[in-house]
Amino acid sequence: MAVSELLYPNGFYVEEKKDSYARIVIPLLEKSYAITVGNALRRVLLSSIEGYAVVAVNIEGVDHEFTAMDGVLEDVPYIVVNLKRLNIRVDESLVDLPARITLEVKGPREVKASDLDIPSGIEIVNSDQHIMTITTDREVRATIYVDKGVGFYPLEDYEESYKERFPINTIFVDGNFSPVEKVNFTFEKVRYGSFINKEKLALEIWTNGTVDPVDAYLKALEILKKHFEAIERKLVYKTQEVEFVDIEEFEKSLEEKRKLPIESLGIPQILINFFQKKKNINTVGDLVSYTEEEIADWLVEEGFTLDDMEEVKSAVKKLSLNFAKKSKQEQ
């Protein structure tokens, strides 16, 4: 008989459950395993659960994103942001991807997600989501494209071969596919026999309503299991060359880049003056703390062009940095 043995968990239970929220408890873990398991599950839940999102939109009469539409209160960037907020559920047995949703409305009126012409096999959970406000009797026609993905996928990373599948003048959208919006975990010490240092893990999961949070938890476990099964296999030879990166050094380099003055981006001085004098943005970190949509809105309001926004995005991408995924109000 061993002096000590590793304790394995005996399962989980659901302590609280609502439509888009669940509190899941793993009642018994070995000492220090709660953080290990909790961190792994949290990362997978936030980054690796498949979902559906708007990836592109084609609006009749609109050539590019950074423009305004006569008779519509919101500029196109605002409309795109509203479309990105649609929470979409898809039955792939009934619809091919990328799926098409159409809009054909006449004003004056407020346009919501419930006004979309949605084919069988697609459901928009937040049907009251505002899209635009038509202030005149004009008509608006648009085609919205929905696809499947994992996590957050910036539009700059869409392959050209993928973009070529869409009509000319299509506006591409960052794909925010993750159906899991937030994950927290806590743990506490519990008694097990004569031991008082075992642990209990509580995991809280919030989704956007398109997936059941318990199903998301089970999917995260499946993903982790597949990874561990894969790395259990011993390779006879190297299957491909891999460039190894020191994560700590990489993070330090990104932090140093965020501290750089905004002048280091190499963008036109008129843009630098605008950011510094009107938005109090003096470093690269200040700039990327805002979402791409927020910055685009500022530039449109100030009379800048699509090319100006593309210069800003290109300069940030060259530094291997990304804009914030959520506005400061949403965080």
Side-chain angles (χ1 to χ4, degrees):
M1 178 178 177
V3 174
S4 63
E5 294 181 345
L6 187 65
L7 175 68
Y8 289 91
N10 55 7
F12 77 93
Y13 62 86
V14 180
E15 187 175 76
E16 184 180 353
K17 175 84 161 51
K18 298 177 183 176
D19 290 340
S20 58
Y21 169 81
R23 180 179 172 87
I24 294 169
V25 176
I26 302 174
L28 195 59
L29 286 163
E30 183 58 84
K31 180 180 69 174
S32 81
Y33 269 69
I35 290 180
T36 302
V37 174
N39 269 327
L41 285 169
R42 182 177 184 275
R43 287 177 179 272
V44 173
L45 281 163
L46 290 173
S47 68
S48 306
I49 306 300
E50 280 186 337
Y52 302 89
V54 172
V55 294
V57 58
N58 191 289
I59 305 174
E60 188 176 294
V62 174
D63 296 330
H64 58 79
E65 179 180 354
F66 302 105
T67 187
M69 298 169 62
D70 291 337
V72 177
L73 179 63
E74 298 86 354
D75 293 335
V76 173
Y78 284 101
I79 297 171
V80 169
V81 169
N82 291 334
L83 290 173
K84 287 170 64 174
R85 290 173 175 158
L86 296 177
N87 298 331
I88 303 169
R89 186 183 290 135
V90 177
D91 183 347
E92 291 186 49
S93 67
L94 299 176
V95 64
D96 293 327
L97 296 175
R100 292 158 49 108
I101 297 174
T102 57
L103 174 67
E104 188 170 341
V105 291
K106 184 175 182 179
R109 59 174 298 180
E110 178 187 9
V111 181
K112 295 185 177 182
S114 55
D115 296 307
L116 298 171
D117 185 9
I118 302 171
S120 177
I122 297 180
E123 178 187 356
I124 296 180
V125 175
N126 54 337
S127 59
D128 61 344
Q129 170 63 46
H130 173 78
I131 295 177
M132 70 179 78
T133 306
I134 305 175
T135 57
T136 67
D137 62 352
R138 70 159 291 167
E139 292 185 356
V140 174
R141 296 184 180 88
T143 302
I144 299 151
Y145 297 90
V146 175
D147 214 336
K148 179 169 68 174
V150 173
F152 178 81
Y153 202 81
L155 64 92
E156 292 88 356
D157 291 346
Y158 291 170
E159 298 287 345
E160 286 302 319
S161 58
Y162 180 73
K163 292 182 178 180
E164 289 170 359
R165 300 166 64 183
F166 297 86
I168 191 170
N169 294 333
T170 294
I171 299 168
F172 291 94
V173 179
D174 296 323
N176 189 12
F177 298 104
S178 178
V180 178
E181 296 184 334
K182 182 180 176 182
V183 180
N184 285 337
F185 72 88
T186 57
F187 68 95
E188 60 185 270
K189 299 293 183 183
V190 294
R191 177 184 291 276
Y192 176 70
S194 60
F195 299 98
I196 60 172
N197 60 350
K198 305 308 178 183
E199 294 178 345
K200 171 183 173 181
L201 173 67
L203 191 72
E204 292 183 287
I205 304 170
W206 290 263
T207 74
N208 63 10
T210 62
V211 300
D212 184 283
V214 177
D215 289 344
Y217 166 77
L218 295 173
K219 183 64 177 178
L221 290 175
E222 179 186 336
I223 292 169
L224 284 170
K225 181 180 178 182
K226 286 183 177 179
H227 275 75
F228 285 120
E229 287 175 345
I231 61 179
E232 186 181 28
R233 295 193 298 269
K234 183 178 180 180
L235 300 178
V236 178
Y237 57 87
K238 291 191 296 183
T239 56
Q240 66 182 57
E241 293 297 325
V242 178
E243 180 184 356
F244 292 95
V245 177
D246 187 318
I247 297 298
E248 288 189 6
E249 289 299 320
F250 181 68
E251 289 293 339
K252 286 180 182 178
S253 71
L254 291 183
E255 189 57 37
E256 290 301 316
K257 290 175 183 178
R258 293 187 185 97
K259 294 177 182 177
L260 292 172
I262 196 167
E263 290 88 348
S264 64
L265 288 175
I267 57 179
Q269 189 62 44
I270 189 172
L271 284 168
I272 293 171
N273 292 341
F274 166 72
F275 287 132
Q276 289 179 330
K277 295 177 180 178
K278 294 197 174 182
K279 298 299 177 182
N280 196 30
I281 292 175
N282 297 300
T283 68
V284 175
D286 293 338
L287 182 67
V288 298
S289 68
Y290 294 93
T291 67
E292 186 179 319
E293 290 80 11
E294 289 176 308
I295 295 168
D297 290 346
W298 297 342
L299 296 183
V300 168
E301 291 169 2
E302 197 67 16
F304 288 100
T305 67
L306 172 64
D307 290 338
D308 294 316
M309 183 60 197
E310 288 300 322
E311 279 199 67
V312 174
K313 288 166 59 178
S314 177
V316 168
K317 190 173 183 180
K318 285 178 182 177
L319 293 178
S320 299
L321 294 173
N322 294 307
F323 294 103
K325 295 180 182 179
K326 293 185 178 181
S327 67
K328 294 181 179 180
Q329 290 78 13
E330 294 176 316
Q331 292 175 0

